[in-house]
């Protein structure tokens, strides 16, 4: 199979950028509509990113695959990524349900690391979706990875990522233990904040 040329790289990444633009617009509309009807803003902030060509190539090499468009589309699910940060755990599942109801969003995979955290304490809700992109000559269905987590979970994940990068994934056991303790604290805080929110709503 022929490897991607520079022009093909540019075109491929542009299509994934269009997918990010599309999903970001959907998220913005859903957030504003929910805020209007429920007087509650479920989304604190949204970040999106395109995976760099070097990272894509490294991932394909690790899988023993050639650098082709077919392999990109079939085996790499996180070229386009969106991270949504919420105030409360219940907001995470509410956003998932709202996205699931969109007619043109096809959900490929869901991984709930909130109900079943990773061994290091990582918590987040992951989705791989496909969304249609309407080009002048064709319609393409493009994969986007969506991660939804609370602000506290996001802070923990950011710290964990920096630590693993600093130690080149060989983190001392005492730091791993501390990360697990911090994860439990984050989980406790999230539930406490949700209970306080529920109490306030009952009093109004």
């Amino acid at each position: 199979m022929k490897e991607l040329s520079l022009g093909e790289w540019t075109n491929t990444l542009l299509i994934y950028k269009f997918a990010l633009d599309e999903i970001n617009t959907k998220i913005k509309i859903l957030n504003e509509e929910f805020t209007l009807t429920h007087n509650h803003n479920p989304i604190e902030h949204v970040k999106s990113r395109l995976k760099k060509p070097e990272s894509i190539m490294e991932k394909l090499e690790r899988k023993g695959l050639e650098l082709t468009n077919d392999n990109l589309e079939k085996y790499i699910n996180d070229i386009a990524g969106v991270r949504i940060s919420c105030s409360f755990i219940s907001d995470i599942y509410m956003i998932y349900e709202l996205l699931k109801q969109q007619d043109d969003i096809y959900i490929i995979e869901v991984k709930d690391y909130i109900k079943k955290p990773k061994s290091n304490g990582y918590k987040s809700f992951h989705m791989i979706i496909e969304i249609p992109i309407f080009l002048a000559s064709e319609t393409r269905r493009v994969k986007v990875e969506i991660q939804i987590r609370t602000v506290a979970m996001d802070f923990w994940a950011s710290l964990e990522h920096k630590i693993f990068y600093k130690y080149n994934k060989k983190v001392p056991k005492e730091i791993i233990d501390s990360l697990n303790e911090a994860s439990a604290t984050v989980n406790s805080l999230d539930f406490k904040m949700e209970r306080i929110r529920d109490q306030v709503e009952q009093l109004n």
Side-chain angles (χ1 to χ4, degrees):
M1 287 185 285
K2 184 173 72 69
E3 292 200 351
L4 290 173
S5 66
L6 179 59
E8 287 171 327
W9 259 119
T10 303
N11 185 55
T12 296
L13 293 180
L14 186 61
I15 290 171
Y16 281 96
K17 179 190 176 298
F18 293 156
L20 283 180
D21 292 342
E22 184 73 20
I23 196 65
N24 279 327
T25 299
K26 282 182 174 294
I27 291 167
K28 182 175 183 290
I29 291 170
L30 289 173
N31 189 46
E32 291 183 2
E33 181 186 15
F34 191 88
T35 302
L36 183 65
T37 56
H38 294 82
N39 196 31
H40 166 56
N41 185 350
I43 298 175
E44 290 293 331
H45 54 265
V46 178
K47 294 179 182 177
S48 57
R49 63 105 185 96
L50 277 177
K51 209 172 188 67
K52 294 180 179 178
E54 298 82 12
S55 297
I56 297 170
M57 287 187 284
E58 287 173 8
K59 198 162 189 177
L60 284 174
E61 285 175 5
R62 287 199 304 270
K63 292 175 179 286
L65 299 168
E66 294 180 0
L67 181 59
T68 66
N69 246 324
D70 286 344
N71 285 340
L72 256 67
E73 293 178 10
K74 187 174 181 180
Y75 297 106
I76 309 295
N77 294 328
D78 61 347
I79 294 176
V82 176
R83 184 180 302 153
I84 303 171
S85 297
C86 306
S87 298
F88 304 104
I89 292 174
S90 58
D91 290 335
I92 294 171
Y93 294 102
M94 183 271 295
I95 292 167
Y96 165 61
E97 290 297 328
L98 290 175
L99 289 172
K100 192 167 69 170
Q101 291 168 18
Q102 297 285 301
D103 291 340
D104 57 350
I105 288 180
Y106 175 68
I107 298 176
I108 297 173
E109 182 179 66
V110 170
K111 290 185 178 178
D112 190 343
Y113 295 116
I114 298 171
K115 292 179 180 176
K116 293 184 178 179
K118 291 187 178 182
S119 59
N120 64 352
Y122 175 85
K123 294 182 178 73
S124 186
F125 189 91
H126 290 199
M127 303 166 61
I128 303 296
I129 68 164
E130 273 188 350
I131 189 166
I133 301 301
F134 301 96
L135 305 172
S137 59
E138 62 176 332
T139 299
R140 296 276 297 274
R141 298 195 65 85
V142 182
K143 291 179 185 176
V144 179
E145 181 190 54
I146 301 176
Q147 299 178 359
I148 317 173
R149 58 182 69 151
T150 64
V151 174
M153 290 175 193
D154 191 49
F155 179 68
W156 183 95
S158 176
L159 176 61
E160 189 262 359
H161 179 77
K162 289 173 183 174
I163 289 172
F164 269 69
Y165 181 80
K166 177 180 176 64
Y167 285 96
N168 194 26
K169 299 184 179 181
K170 298 176 182 177
V171 183
K173 184 181 181 301
E174 60 269 23
I175 294 181
I176 291 177
D177 291 342
S178 294
L179 278 171
N180 273 296
E181 289 176 13
S183 176
T185 302
V186 164
N187 191 54
S188 176
L189 175 63
D190 274 334
F191 279 106
K192 284 181 181 178
M193 296 301 289
E194 188 123 20
R195 284 198 297 270
I196 293 170
R197 192 273 309 268
D198 292 343
Q199 289 172 348
V200 170
E201 288 183 350
Q202 287 173 7
L203 292 172
N204 289 339

